[in-house]
């Protein structure tokens, strides 16, 4: 706890931004009420918030899937808007096994389906969310359009599926795009 900022992490993120750093946060999923109380005070001090649908739902206090496990696109969009309204500076991206959704501060949005990797080819999904996050951040760093960045992020996440560890599936930019080219191009819809 931090008496002025709610939690120490919020103070650290605020201080980094004051020094000119752009901040990015990816969180560890946690069951229980502590999650929201830690993440929420940090939101105004985060430029890039990239989380899975469970984590986004936990911060927003809502489920982003139906009881049958179906992703509820309208709730994903509402959660991203809620998170942006609570202070995210540049980008809120929510990823899930089916793909990802992103919303910018300017109101641009993008839905991108996952690369259709066959279930029998998947070695492990460990690290796929982290891989998506790194792909999205790389896209922002390189100044890619949101559609390009989301496609690349889903490609990086797909690369991770072919490895048992969280990092052995990491490939270069060119190798990632080569893998993506081996599969049908996923739907990737950008709106301004």
């Amino acid at each position: 706890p931090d008496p002025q900022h709610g939690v120490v992490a919020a103070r650290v993120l605020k201080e980094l931004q004051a020094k000119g750093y752009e901040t990015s946060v990816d969180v560890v999923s946690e069951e229980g009420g502590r999650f929201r109380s830690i993440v929420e005070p940090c939101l105004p001090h985060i430029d890039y918030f990239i989380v899975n649908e469970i984590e986004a739902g936990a911060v927003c206090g809502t489920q982003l899937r139906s009881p049958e496990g179906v992703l509820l696109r309208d709730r994903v969009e509402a959660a991203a808007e809620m998170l942006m309204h609570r202070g995210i500076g540049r980008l809120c991206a929510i990823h899930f096994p089916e793909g990802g959704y992103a919303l910018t501060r300017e109101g641009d949005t993008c839905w991108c389906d996952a690369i259709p990797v066959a279930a029998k080819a998947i070695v492990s999904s460990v690290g796929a969310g982290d891989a998506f996050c790194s792909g999205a951040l790389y896209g922002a760093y390189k100044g890619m359009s949101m559609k390009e960045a989301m496609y690349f992020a889903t490609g990086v996440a797909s690369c991770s599926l072919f490895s048992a560890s969280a990092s052995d599936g990491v490939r270069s930019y060119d190798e990632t795009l080569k893998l993506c080219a081996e599969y049908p191009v996923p739907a990737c819809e950008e709106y301004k």
Side-chain angles (χ1 to χ4, degrees):
D2 181 277
Q4 188 176 3
H5 298 94
V7 294
V8 173
R11 177 176 50 80
V12 170
L13 290 164
K14 181 178 180 179
E15 290 172 1
L16 286 168
Q17 285 183 323
K19 291 181 179 189
Y21 290 97
E22 289 185 335
T23 60
S24 169
V25 169
D26 178 19
V27 298
V28 175
S29 298
E30 180 189 82
E31 302 278 333
R34 182 176 97 106
F35 185 85
R36 186 174 185 180
S37 66
I38 292 172
V39 175
E40 196 157 16
C42 297
L43 296 177
H45 313 295
I46 299 171
D47 292 302
Y48 301 93
F49 191 57
I50 304 167
V51 294
N52 68 37
E53 83 278 15
I54 298 165
E55 297 156 348
V59 177
C60 296
T62 187
Q63 294 290 320
L64 303 187
R65 290 190 179 274
S66 72
E68 298 78 32
V70 175
L71 186 71
L72 303 170
R73 288 173 63 115
D74 58 334
R75 288 195 188 175
V76 170
E77 292 173 353
E81 288 174 16
M82 184 182 299
L83 291 165
M84 192 64 74
H85 180 72
R86 291 182 184 171
I88 302 299
R90 295 181 181 264
L91 174 80
C92 177
I94 302 172
H95 58 85
F96 25 84
E98 298 90 343
Y101 174 76
L103 170 67
T104 66
R105 169 61 52 199
E106 295 78 24
D108 298 338
T109 64
C110 185
W111 279 96
C112 195
D113 291 344
I115 306 293
V117 176
K120 65 182 178 185
I122 297 172
V123 175
S124 174
S125 62
V126 172
D130 296 322
F132 180 95
C133 181
S134 68
L137 289 173
Y138 183 78
Y141 170 72
K142 292 303 246 181
M144 294 179 190
S145 72
M146 189 178 342
K147 185 175 180 177
E148 291 170 322
M150 290 294 288
Y151 176 71
F152 184 68
T154 60
V156 175
S158 295
C159 287
S160 75
L161 299 174
F162 297 102
S163 172
S165 79
S167 58
D168 286 343
V170 174
R171 299 180 185 196
S172 71
Y173 175 80
D174 290 334
E175 290 170 331
T176 299
L177 293 182
K178 184 178 177 184
L179 175 119
C180 292
E182 295 174 13
Y183 292 89
V185 176
C188 209
E189 306 162 3
E190 184 177 14
Y191 303 97
K192 296 197 178 264

